[in-house]
Amino acid sequence: MTAHLRILLVGNGGREHALAWKLAQSPLVDHIWVAPGNGGTARGLNKVENVSIDSADFSSLVNFAVEKSVDLVVPGPEQPLVDGIETQFRKIGIPCFGPSESAARMEGSKTFSKDFMKKHNIPTAEYENFTSYEMAKAYVESVNHNVVIKASGLAAGKGVLIPTSKEEAYGALKEIMEDKAFGDAGDEVVVEEFLEGDELSILAFSDGYTVVDLPPAQDHKRIFDGDNGPNTGGMGTYAPAPVATPAIIDEIRRTIIKPTIDGMRKDGYPFVGLLFTGIMLTASGPKALEYNVRFGDPETQSVLPLLSKDTDLAEIFLACVEHRLDAITVKTTGQFGVTVVGSAGGYPGKYSKNDEIVIDPLESDDTFIFHAGSSLTSEGKLVSSGGRVIAASAVADTLEEAVKKAYVGISKIHLKNMHYRKDIAYRAFRDTKPKEEDVITYAKSGVNIENGNTLVERIKPSVKATARPGADAELGGFGGLFDLKAAGFKDPLIVAATDGIGTKVKIAQLSGIHNTVGIDLVAMNVNDLVVQGAEPLMFLDYYACSKLDVDVAAEFVNGVAEGCLRAGSALVGGETAEMPGIYHGDDYDAGGTAIGAVERGYTLPDLDSMVAGDVLLGLASDGVHSNGFSLIRKIVEHAGLAYDQDAPWDRSTTVQNSLLIPTRIYVKTLLPAIREHLILGLAHITGGGLIENIPRMLPKHLGASIDATTWDILPVFKWLGNAGNVPKTDILKTLNMGIGMVLTVKPENVQKVKKLLTDGGEKVYVIGNLVEVASGEPQCVVKNSESLY
């Protein structure tokens, strides 16, 4: 790292005074020249002196830098950067903390920057660019929203006009484009949507890759209190702005700052220096207003004092120009900074100059005076030389205290007819005042107890209908009870299963069909329970959402009740949870638990009784059931299908209606064969398909040999396989392929079991048999899989 650093700081404003003040504190810095500087940089700062070279005189600046062996150039204002000062010093090998001429277009041309935002999907206001006054006027006439008129080029921070009517907008366009109020800067204008909300200034260091932002600031542009009067370069700032919560800052970094730095690099003009982004916090989220390619004034005067004493500004600048900012830790004090700007009387209109400035001794080490429009006469007298003359900045542990200190500081400055605003940071205090509408209730937090009560009343009849011997299916208690003796059990074991619906629920939400996934929830649990030989007895559901829609939830729970009826299970309870912040919009999810019983000694699978040659029966599925929907949704999206279109595999129905056919519940048809002890094992074909589910019911030395030609492959599976070009091995491990349940039975019991199941309404296939397998061999092999589709 360079020691005895010699810096050329270009500029003469309050920003440059603050930069010189902070850089002079660095042990790395040997000397700082400020060109041309102001009255503040001319006296009272160690290591700092002014040099009488105009910031636009690149040739003289380069010669001076070579003569003085300058190690680093720091341009303060935007004009030298837009005019290519970085290029001039790069040619002679002196690094410049500031962007290239190409990158500086982000401030130099509002047209360019707005087009950049559109290209890189950075949220911003609607806009159009115009070089014709008549076309711009016609556009303003055509829109229904208020507009902001911006001169595309540089206008010293004043080229933004905010008309309050169409007549004012026409006048603003004429002032900029025809009357040339801002010179060539108004040859092209940006007419953009007027955004409402709180404005933020985000200052961020960048080396072209890494970005480190400083505490967010709020500026006060208007000349008078209450944000009245004409625009100025800025009458005061405070930081960090309380409105910029950590969540908002994270969103700004993610959606605006990082995409900007990444986009500039990808477009061939990486940004090195300090990027200042104006942000509007709208009702729909943060939006970018504009970019500045340098430190803001007076934001800099509030933010730099917040850097911790062990954070070296010169070291940060070097890290940026050497593209190693990720190696630097930038720390702040955690305090608040406030700046109050004092302007010459009459500013931003005509104002006097050469009025003497007298500054009384300050009372606090945490208060600072930064000069802008000041200079020293040949006699050494401090006088005014600009519109925004001088500012008082202060830091403190609270915003209130920082404001008080800053106003004490401004009171120490004596200048004829000096004006300053008396309400700096008023927006922050406005937002902290308690209001009646700010009272927080459970309902305001997003949870409506009354809706929950309404839902209970709506679903009571459906729930009551699921009552069975052993349970009355009444809602409202703290738990569900079941009388096993009343259900006929003598020495039972309790069996439980729990599961959810998976991403199938997304199709239900998109289509507005919610009852079928309620049936799915029950099916996924009771089918898993019956494969253990158990009779489902009672069921409990869990429904979670962002905001409880009683109609949607009632439809869903009615589906759950229907599933319980199909399974012969009582719906004895459930939980409905509104969780705003966890779920969003119309999202919901659900889980369920089935509880059943089986007499001791009769649980399945009966592994000891299974031998090679035992027969595998397959029960037809009703469709895709409830697994593999991440794959299914991806294929549907890939095929460009809308869910309400006709299904290409079945033109008599729609995509959504076909895919939402609920999982078949096999409980009532299986129980007779289970009770006669005719079934050795059962496998519910869910996630994992035939390949992974059948082995779950087998002993390690046996495997399943399946023939894919033995059952009817439903058209939906053939379409999914072909449309997604899904490998056969993959689809067999994901979807049920038309078989929802697999049974292991003795050969001599096949016909009896088939009859029991067929009489119950099942479609039964003999799909294979058990075979001996060696250790390490697959326990399920599907032959003739090439015939699947």
Side-chain angles (χ1 to χ4, degrees):
M1 185 176 297
T2 304
H4 307 297
L5 195 64
R6 299 160 74 84
I7 296 175
L8 175 60
L9 175 59
V10 179
N12 65 346
R15 162 188 48 224
E16 287 72 37
H17 189 184
L19 285 167
W21 167 80
K22 188 62 180 176
L23 287 168
Q25 297 170 22
S26 169
L28 300 176
V29 172
D30 179 63
H31 201 80
I32 302 168
W33 290 276
V34 189
N38 58 38
T41 54
R43 65 181 194 180
L45 284 180
N46 186 33
K47 308 180 187 177
V48 178
E49 68 173 297
N50 287 354
V51 54
S52 184
I53 303 175
D54 188 87
S55 60
D57 188 352
F58 291 173
S59 176
S60 297
L61 289 171
V62 167
N63 291 336
F64 179 84
V66 171
E67 176 190 338
K68 297 295 184 180
S69 300
V70 165
D71 303 296
L72 178 68
V73 176
V74 180
E78 62 275 16
Q79 193 68 58
L81 290 164
V82 171
D83 291 342
I85 191 171
E86 184 272 343
T87 303
Q88 300 299 318
F89 283 100
R90 177 159 37 87
K91 286 179 179 178
I92 61 170
I94 299 177
C96 182
F97 178 78
S100 65
E101 184 175 355
S102 294
R105 287 178 295 173
M106 295 291 273
E107 180 169 4
S109 170
K110 291 181 175 61
T111 299
F112 179 85
S113 64
K114 292 292 287 190
D115 290 344
F116 173 91
M117 293 178 201
K118 179 185 287 186
K119 175 181 178 181
H120 292 282
N121 298 313
I122 293 165
T124 188
E126 294 181 16
Y127 76 99
E128 292 292 341
N129 305 320
F130 297 98
T131 55
S132 161
Y133 166 74
E134 292 299 334
M135 292 181 68
K137 183 180 178 183
Y139 174 75
V140 170
E141 190 172 5
S142 71
V143 298
N144 295 321
H145 52 71
N146 289 339
V147 297
V148 178
I149 314 291
K150 296 182 177 181
S152 181
L154 295 180
K158 299 170 189 172
V160 178
L161 301 181
I162 307 176
T164 59
S165 66
K166 287 193 182 291
E167 288 69 28
E168 285 187 19
Y170 303 149
L173 288 171
K174 183 176 184 299
E175 181 181 350
I176 294 174
M177 303 186 79
E178 295 197 332
D179 298 343
K180 298 295 182 183
F182 305 112
D184 294 344
D187 288 348
E188 185 172 19
V189 298
V190 177
V191 181
E192 68 178 34
E193 171 194 10
F194 174 73
L195 298 177
E196 295 189 65
D198 277 306
E199 193 171 339
L200 286 180
S201 300
I202 305 293
L203 279 63
F205 299 112
S206 176
D207 62 1
Y209 295 86
T210 302
V211 192
V212 178
D213 52 276
L214 292 168
Q218 278 198 322
D219 191 7
H220 298 68
K221 286 292 187 185
R222 303 282 187 169
I223 187 67
F224 298 125
D225 290 3
D227 291 328
N228 292 307
N231 265 349
T232 70
M235 294 302 296
T237 53
Y238 62 100
V243 71
T245 64
I248 287 174
I249 292 300
D250 284 344
E251 184 175 358
I252 290 171
R253 289 168 179 157
R254 186 180 71 256
T255 63
I256 297 175
I257 304 301
K258 190 174 187 305
T260 297
I261 296 301
D262 290 346
M264 294 181 73
R265 184 178 66 253
K266 291 173 183 176
D267 286 354
Y269 41 92
F271 188 90
V272 175
L274 190 289
L275 181 70
F276 169 177
T277 308
I279 306 286
M280 184 68 79
L281 303 181
T282 73
S284 58
K287 293 189 178 183
L289 294 174
E290 63 181 4
Y291 299 112
N292 296 322
V293 296
R294 38 69 192 182
F295 281 95
D297 189 341
E299 288 86 355
T300 305
Q301 294 91 303
S302 291
V303 170
L304 287 188
L306 297 178
L307 292 176
S308 64
K309 290 184 178 179
D310 59 346
T311 294
D312 190 321
L313 188 62
E315 186 179 7
I316 295 171
F317 285 2
L318 285 175
C320 287
V321 300
E322 294 169 2
H323 309 290
R324 54 177 181 83
L325 183 57
D326 59 349
I328 299 296
T329 300
V330 179
K331 298 179 183 177
T332 56
T333 62
Q335 295 177 294
F336 291 86
V338 173
T339 297
V340 178
V341 173
S343 65
Y347 173 84
K350 291 183 178 179
Y351 54 86
S352 63
K353 298 181 180 180
N354 297 312
D355 292 321
E356 185 176 5
I357 304 167
V358 177
I359 304 171
D360 296 336
L362 299 176
E363 299 174 1
S364 169
D365 293 337
D366 291 332
T367 304
F368 319 100
I369 302 299
F370 293 119
H371 295 243
S374 74
S375 59
L376 290 179
T377 66
S378 56
E379 295 82 21
K381 187 168 68 172
L382 187 66
V383 296
S384 63
S385 57
R388 291 186 300 158
V389 178
I390 199 164
S393 299
V395 296
D397 292 337
T398 67
L399 183 57
E400 292 88 346
E401 187 61 27
V403 169
K404 289 178 183 176
K405 287 184 177 181
Y407 277 109
V408 170
I410 202 76
S411 72
K412 303 295 182 180
I413 301 170
H414 304 283
L415 169 67
K416 180 182 176 182
N417 296 324
M418 184 177 74
H419 167 79
Y420 58 89
R421 283 182 56 160
K422 314 300 189 298
D423 65 345
I424 300 302
Y426 82 92
R427 287 189 292 269
F429 300 130
R430 170 205 67 193
D431 294 340
T432 59
K433 290 180 180 178
K435 302 175 184 176
E436 183 65 30
E437 58 267 30
D438 290 336
V439 174
I440 298 176
T441 64
Y442 207 11
K444 282 188 176 182
S445 69
V447 180
N448 193 313
I449 298 296
E450 290 305 315
N451 279 352
N453 295 335
T454 301
L455 174 62
V456 170
E457 293 304 314
R458 285 272 297 274
I459 63 178
K460 272 186 176 180
S462 297
V463 174
K464 183 66 175 176
T466 69
R468 55 156 293 161
D472 59 9
E474 285 284 353
L475 297 180
F478 287 100
L481 298 176
F482 196 93
D483 186 343
L484 289 167
K485 187 175 181 180
F489 287 92
K490 296 178 175 61
D491 184 21
L493 297 174
I494 299 298
V495 184
T498 189
D499 208 341
I501 309 164
T503 59
K504 184 176 184 177
V505 74
K506 292 297 293 183
I507 298 176
Q509 291 161 5
L510 289 170
S511 64
I513 301 170
H514 308 285
N515 61 324
T516 61
V517 286
I519 299 172
D520 280 310
L521 181 63
V522 177
M524 294 301 291
N525 284 281
V526 297
N527 285 342
D528 280 356
L529 195 146
V530 79
V531 300
Q532 299 172 79
E535 177 187 354
L537 302 175
M538 59 181 180
F539 190 83
L540 301 98
D541 69 86
Y542 174 80
Y543 180 92
C545 58
S546 171
K547 180 177 176 59
L548 181 60
D549 184 317
V550 174
D551 291 334
V552 170
E555 183 181 346
F556 175 83
V557 177
N558 287 336
V560 173
E562 172 62 25
C564 286
L565 286 171
R566 296 183 187 186
S569 178
L571 180 53
V572 298
E575 168 71 7
T576 301
E578 280 187 289
M579 296 194 289
I582 302 298
Y583 297 93
H584 303 279
D586 296 328
D587 288 351
Y588 66 83
D589 197 6
T593 299
I595 300 171
V598 59
E599 293 291 356
R600 192 180 304 274
Y602 293 103
T603 59
L604 294 178
D606 182 359
L607 300 178
D608 294 336
S609 298
M610 293 184 189
V611 296
D614 287 342
V615 177
L616 295 170
L617 300 180
L619 304 188
S621 67
D622 285 342
V624 292
H625 286 183
S626 294
N627 292 98
F629 271 85
S630 293
L631 173 64
I632 292 166
R633 289 165 52 229
K634 187 71 174 178
I635 294 171
V636 170
E637 178 186 346
H638 176 73
L641 284 180
Y643 286 105
D644 59 358
Q645 283 182 240
D646 288 347
W649 57 87
D650 182 358
R651 294 296 179 183
S652 68
T653 187
T654 61
V655 173
Q656 61 197 26
N657 287 341
S658 176
L659 295 179
L660 287 174
I661 293 172
T663 304
R664 188 171 183 83
I665 295 176
Y666 299 100
V667 172
K668 289 184 177 181
T669 52
L670 284 172
L671 281 176
I674 291 172
R675 287 168 179 155
E676 291 192 39
H677 312 303
L678 298 172
I679 298 175
L680 302 177
L682 290 162
H684 183 201
I685 309 306
T686 58
L690 294 163
I691 298 295
E692 294 186 1
N693 282 291
I694 292 177
R696 296 168 68 183
M697 69 167 171
L698 302 178
K700 297 297 182 184
H701 68 284
L702 293 175
S705 176
I706 308 291
D707 186 346
T709 64
T710 57
W711 74 90
D712 298 327
I713 308 298
L714 297 177
V716 63
F717 295 109
K718 294 181 179 181
W719 183 87
L720 288 167
N722 286 317
N725 195 27
V726 185
K728 308 292 194 307
T729 53
D730 194 68
I731 205 167
L732 282 167
K733 291 181 179 180
T734 308
L735 303 178
N736 68 59
M737 301 309 294
I739 298 295
M741 185 73 73
V742 175
L743 297 66
T744 302
V745 299
K746 291 295 182 186
E748 61 269 24
N749 293 330
V750 168
Q751 292 307 315
K752 187 173 184 180
V753 172
K754 283 184 69 175
K755 185 176 187 312
L756 286 170
L757 292 169
T758 303
D759 289 350
E762 299 297 347
K763 197 169 187 178
V764 187
Y765 304 94
V766 177
I767 63 171
N769 58 278
L770 298 188
V771 295
E772 294 280 349
V773 294
S775 177
E777 289 184 338
Q779 277 192 283
C780 183
V781 174
V782 179
K783 297 180 294 184
N784 299 316
S785 61
E786 66 277 2
S787 68
L788 291 172
Y789 49 86

